[in-house]
Amino acid sequence: MSRIGRRPVELPEKVTAKLDGSMLTVEGPLGKLDTQLPEGMSVVIADTSVSVSGTPKDKRGRGFLGLTRALVANMVVGVTKGYEKKLEINGVGYKAELKGKSLSFYLGYSHGIDMEIPEGISAKVDKQTSVTVSGIDKQLVGQVAAKIRAFKIPEPYKAKGVKYADEVVVRKVGKTGAK
């Protein structure tokens, strides 16, 4: 049995959890999240905690125990604190703009890139070179941030492109002149 999967997830004061069949709903001050439990997994909701249990029959089933516990824990953190990812844009003329419910990126291509912000995600642009993606769903925040980064992955010579704020781009030495 998974060591992480056995630990109960503590519910803060203003957070409630409900189970409807195999659909788990967690509600808190920032919003409400739902998830479908994997097959063979069950959840026991106590007053101040949620415990995950199941009868895994094979190796794949045992892996779902820790996964389910992590999903529940991420939901609880999401509805209480939320998640955010910060991205930085490096390069001459590279910038981002927020236009209503869409982000526009100018990243050295012959055209701008427009991206609709999904429901449940908020984006903020500071100084045209810093984008903050935030929301209550950890998976969706990470997915949107990864999609933005994929528009122009930082290259190793001048580090031009979109990178996470805490990412370190390993720089390569350019060509040297012939002797």
Side-chain angles (χ1 to χ4, degrees):
M1 218 172 146
S2 169
R3 290 185 214 169
I4 293 173
R6 285 185 287 197
R7 278 194 260 154
V9 177
E10 297 298 321
L11 294 176
E13 200 169 297
K14 296 179 182 177
V15 177
T16 60
K18 286 185 271 187
L19 186 64
D20 183 28
S22 64
M23 182 68 76
L24 179 68
T25 304
V26 177
E27 240 178 300
L30 296 182
K32 175 178 147 181
L33 289 171
D34 301 324
T35 189
Q36 184 76 30
L37 296 176
E39 189 175 324
M41 296 295 121
S42 60
V43 171
V44 177
I45 301 170
D47 294 337
T48 61
S49 66
V50 176
S51 298
V52 178
S53 61
T55 54
K57 296 180 178 126
D58 56 354
K59 188 174 183 177
R60 184 170 177 254
R62 286 192 302 270
F64 281 132
L65 191 63
L67 169 75
T68 306
R69 195 258 180 210
L71 290 174
V72 173
N74 290 342
M75 290 169 62
V76 170
V77 171
V79 297
T80 54
K81 298 176 188 171
Y83 291 100
E84 77 174 20
K85 292 260 185 187
K86 295 183 183 200
L87 297 122
E88 293 175 353
I89 301 172
N90 296 320
V92 177
Y94 289 14
K95 64 181 181 175
E97 294 176 352
L98 184 61
K99 297 178 182 175
K101 287 290 284 177
S102 73
L103 283 167
S104 295
F105 295 95
Y106 302 96
L107 302 171
Y109 298 120
S110 62
H111 60 283
I113 301 169
D114 293 330
M115 177 185 163
E116 290 292 320
I117 300 170
E119 191 68 33
I121 295 293
S122 63
K124 188 170 76 170
V125 177
D126 296 328
K127 298 187 235 172
Q128 296 183 337
T129 59
S130 176
V131 178
T132 304
V133 178
S134 60
I136 62 172
D137 189 355
K138 184 177 185 177
Q139 183 177 353
L140 189 57
V141 168
Q143 184 177 356
V144 169
K147 187 175 180 182
I148 291 171
R149 183 180 179 274
F151 290 149
K152 188 82 166 191
I153 295 173
E155 49 92 14
Y157 296 102
K158 293 186 180 179
K160 295 188 331 185
V162 182
K163 69 178 192 83
Y164 295 113
D166 57 352
E167 180 179 7
V168 176
V169 178
V170 178
R171 304 279 302 267
K172 287 185 178 179
V173 178
K175 293 182 179 178
T176 58
K179 291 183 182 182

